[in-house]
Each structure stands twice: as C-alpha cells, then as structure tokens.
C-alpha cells in the first residue's frame, strides 16, 4: 500500500494543532500531528498502544507520572489506558503510530 502525502487531508483540530491520517489497516495506523508553539495536546488516555516519534520541534510530554522534554529524534511509548499529553515548546511535528487503528479518528 502506498499513501502519498499530497493525497491526504489535513484536519484542523483547533488551538494550533493539525492532524493528517496516513497509512492504516485493521492493526496499525500512522498519523502526523503538527503543533504551533504553545499548542497543547490535552491529557487523555485510550485503549490503543501508541508510539510517538518526534520529527521536529520540542515538546514537554507527560506520560503517567513522568514528565520530560523531547526533541527531534526522540521516541515515546504509551501503554494502553495510561494518561498522556504534551505542550509544544517550539513548533514541531509528531508521527504517531497506533495499534489497533483509531476508529474514532476515521469516523469523527
């Protein structure tokens, strides 16, 4: 399967955050998330496993009881149902991979 960036849709989530759903099937999903400086990824949890790769920028991430500053090249793992969120310190982009796919992203 090939997914071409120019053929995907950029969704404005508001408050300086946009999301682009990339490749996905029944078991995995890749999502690009862009943040403006100061934008917040609110604390939340979900039943999916999630890997986040920092493509660019700088973020303060909280996962469970831990808080760290992460930059381009850093990777984060979020277990199912663990609270997590971030604040964007310098504009950047994250690449999130979920298993299973986020049906809620596909169907509103």
């Amino acid at each position: 399967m090939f997914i071409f960036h120019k053929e995907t849709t950029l969704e404005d989530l508001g408050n300086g955050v946009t999301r682009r759903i990339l490749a996905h099937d029944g078991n995995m999903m890749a999502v690009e998330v862009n943040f403006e400086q100061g934008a917040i990824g609110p604390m939340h949890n979900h039943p999916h496993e999630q890997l986040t790769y920092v493509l660019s920028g700088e973020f303060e991430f909280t996962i469970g009881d831990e808080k760290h500053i992460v930059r381009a090249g850093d990777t984060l793992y979020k277990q199912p149902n663990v609270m997590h969120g971030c604040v964007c310190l310098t504009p950047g982009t994250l690449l999130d991979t979920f298993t299973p796919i986020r049906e809620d992203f596909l169907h509103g």
Side-chain angles (χ1 to χ4, degrees):
M1 171 191 304
F2 295 89
I3 303 298
F4 298 100
H5 198 263
K6 66 182 179 183
E7 296 173 4
T8 61
T9 302
L10 187 64
E11 179 183 2
D12 187 349
L13 302 179
N15 301 314
V17 182
T18 60
R19 174 172 66 206
R20 184 182 305 271
I21 296 172
L22 305 172
H24 58 87
D25 70 8
N27 297 313
M28 293 182 77
M29 172 183 266
V31 178
E32 177 186 282
V33 188
N34 305 289
F35 289 80
E36 295 176 4
Q37 185 170 344
I40 296 172
M43 292 295 289
H44 67 285
N45 67 7
H46 45 74
H48 313 81
E49 284 185 278
Q50 179 180 353
L51 285 176
T52 298
Y53 180 75
V54 182
L55 292 169
S56 64
E58 184 177 54
F59 298 83
E60 181 180 78
F61 256 95
T62 302
I63 303 174
D65 296 330
E66 291 189 60
K67 185 180 290 192
H68 293 280
I69 304 290
V70 297
R71 296 171 182 85
D74 293 336
T75 306
L76 304 85
Y77 172 73
K78 297 144 190 159
Q79 294 178 326
N81 303 309
V82 171
M83 293 295 291
H84 57 278
C86 69
V87 175
C88 181
L89 304 176
T90 62
T93 301
L94 305 174
L95 178 63
D96 286 329
T97 304
F98 297 96
T99 183
I101 66 171
R102 294 290 305 259
E103 292 284 348
D104 54 325
F105 287 6
L106 297 174
H107 305 294

